[in-house]
Amino acid sequence: MRNNTKIVVLVFAIFLNACETEKSETKKNSSAEDNLYFGYKPPGLTPEIFVPKNSTSQDWKFGNTDSLSMDEFYFTYTGNNPFENPVVVYRNEGSYYNVNKYTFSHNPSDSNILYSRWNYIERTDSGWSKIKSLGPMFEREDWGIMVMSVSSKGTFVFDDYKSNDVIRMSRIINGEREEPKLLGKHINTGKWTCHPFIAPDESYLIWGSEREDGYGKSDNYISFRQQDDSWGPAINMGDKINSELEENGAHLTRDGKYLLFSRHEEKVREDGTTYWESKQYWVDARIIETLRIHQ
């Protein structure tokens, strides 16, 4: 038990060490503060690099301290970064020296249930529950779910890298969860089709994919829900959001005001080895409406 405790303490220390000490800031006048968004100056219709402020240990709360388990523990985020996931779980899956990390995303339909891939957690009187599986309908050896997106109606949309990069959807019909179904070929076309995001009201779907009509590598695409309830054509989100580099992972803030996405660039070290450099961007969510008008 003593060695296991040391390992948890070590993981906790490493986690906190990644959060730099909070720097003092000069006070802003009240009119400037009124124009801030969680302490950040928001962008317009042109994407800008999102640079999060330095986190502190106070921004993360260590959970389940009353019933601490060496097999699974979590942190909840209480800081002012509007894009940070609310809960991060560390779970032992084979060895205390190989602890896996699960990030649980916001759920627009029920803040008491959060999802991560084929798993979910529930809010309890003492914090968050242990990780629970969505069951054999989603936890399958032949599927590789990376991102699970949930609408306000409880519809699941998720990717699958083990099945030639496809996106599936599962709705709730008459109170029952339906078997996941592949979306149409106009969505499941191209390479690296992944990282879906369904709008809370299900009016559109965004995902990343590499296609011949793209700007280079993976681009963000969007499809709007049609009057007959079908999904419209895949629309490249344009050169403001996409480039010759790799873009994906677009999703909204909880209030729907801003769209966040990632841009990745492969770089070469002096010794010839390569690595990926990633940057986050954000833009006013009204940019989605400009695409809807021209669909």
Side-chain angles (χ1 to χ4, degrees):
M1 176 64 73
R2 182 177 299 174
N3 290 335
N4 291 340
T5 303
K6 288 182 178 179
I7 291 166
V8 172
V9 172
L10 177 61
V11 173
F12 186 44
I14 293 173
F15 184 89
L16 295 185
N17 190 48
C19 301
E20 298 182 15
T21 304
E22 184 177 14
K23 297 179 180 179
S24 60
E25 298 181 0
T26 57
K27 292 184 177 180
K28 303 178 179 67
N29 58 54
S30 58
S31 61
E33 289 179 346
D34 291 341
N35 294 324
L36 296 181
Y37 180 79
F38 287 90
Y40 298 88
K41 181 181 178 181
L45 292 175
T46 298
E48 297 179 7
I49 294 178
F50 177 75
V51 182
K53 297 178 181 179
N54 293 329
S55 295
T56 72
S57 59
Q58 296 177 347
D59 292 336
W60 291 93
K61 181 180 178 182
F62 188 40
N64 60 330
T65 54
D66 295 335
S67 57
L68 180 61
S69 168
M70 304 304 144
D71 292 324
E72 187 177 317
F73 51 92
Y74 67 86
F75 297 90
T76 57
Y77 183 71
T78 59
N80 65 346
N81 182 341
F83 303 109
E84 189 65 68
N85 287 300
V87 180
V88 176
V89 178
Y90 290 88
R91 191 183 198 189
N92 165 36
E93 294 181 339
S95 168
Y96 288 107
Y97 298 97
N98 185 25
V99 179
N100 290 328
K101 176 183 178 182
Y102 292 82
T103 55
F104 285 84
S105 302
H106 297 285
N107 176 7
S109 64
D110 187 351
S111 61
N112 292 315
I113 302 178
L114 304 180
Y115 297 92
S116 177
R117 292 180 271 181
W118 55 86
N119 303 305
Y120 69 99
I121 55 177
E122 294 180 295
R123 195 189 301 273
T124 68
D125 292 339
S126 59
W128 289 97
S129 70
K130 296 282 189 179
I131 293 179
K132 301 179 181 181
S133 172
L134 288 171
M137 188 183 293
F138 299 94
E139 188 174 2
R140 296 173 40 161
E141 288 293 332
D142 57 333
W143 284 4
I145 301 175
M146 295 185 294
V147 173
M148 171 75 76
S149 180
V150 187
S151 76
S152 294
K153 297 178 182 179
T155 295
F156 292 164
V157 179
F158 58 95
D159 51 17
D160 177 7
Y161 70 88
K162 289 185 179 180
S163 302
N164 198 30
D165 301 321
V166 294
I167 295 176
R168 292 184 171 88
M169 176 178 290
S170 171
R171 301 173 298 170
I172 296 177
I173 300 179
N174 297 325
E176 298 291 332
R177 172 69 60 187
E178 71 171 355
E179 289 283 343
K181 298 179 180 179
L182 282 172
L183 293 178
K185 290 185 177 180
H186 59 301
I187 291 176
N188 284 317
T189 294
K191 299 190 325 185
W192 324 119
T193 301
C194 59
H195 299 158
F197 173 79
I198 187 169
D201 63 359
E202 301 189 11
S203 60
Y204 59 83
L205 175 69
I206 300 176
W207 71 98
S209 186
E210 182 178 324
R211 302 187 177 199
E212 292 182 358
D213 64 349
Y215 289 89
K217 297 183 179 179
S218 175
D219 288 347
N220 285 303
Y221 285 82
I222 188 169
S223 172
F224 292 96
R225 180 80 78 175
Q226 305 298 294
Q227 290 185 352
D228 63 0
D229 207 36
S230 65
W231 290 106
I235 302 171
N236 189 295
M237 296 189 74
D239 59 4
K240 284 187 176 182
I241 289 181
N242 298 315
S243 70
E244 72 279 2
L245 302 178
E246 181 176 311
E247 288 86 15
N248 55 38
H251 61 279
L252 293 178
T253 51
R254 279 183 291 173
D255 55 17
K257 291 183 177 180
Y258 301 99
L259 182 75
L260 176 76
F261 64 94
S262 298
R263 178 169 292 161
H264 315 279
E265 181 178 7
E266 188 175 20
K267 298 208 169 183
V268 181
R269 299 185 180 91
E270 292 183 0
D271 61 2
T273 59
T274 60
Y275 67 99
W276 286 92
E277 180 180 88
S278 299
K279 295 180 180 178
Q280 290 183 320
Y281 287 76
W282 62 329
V283 63
D284 195 305
R286 290 178 299 168
I287 196 171
I288 294 173
E289 296 309 312
T290 65
L291 295 168
R292 191 195 303 270
I293 292 172
H294 296 96
Q295 68 172 312

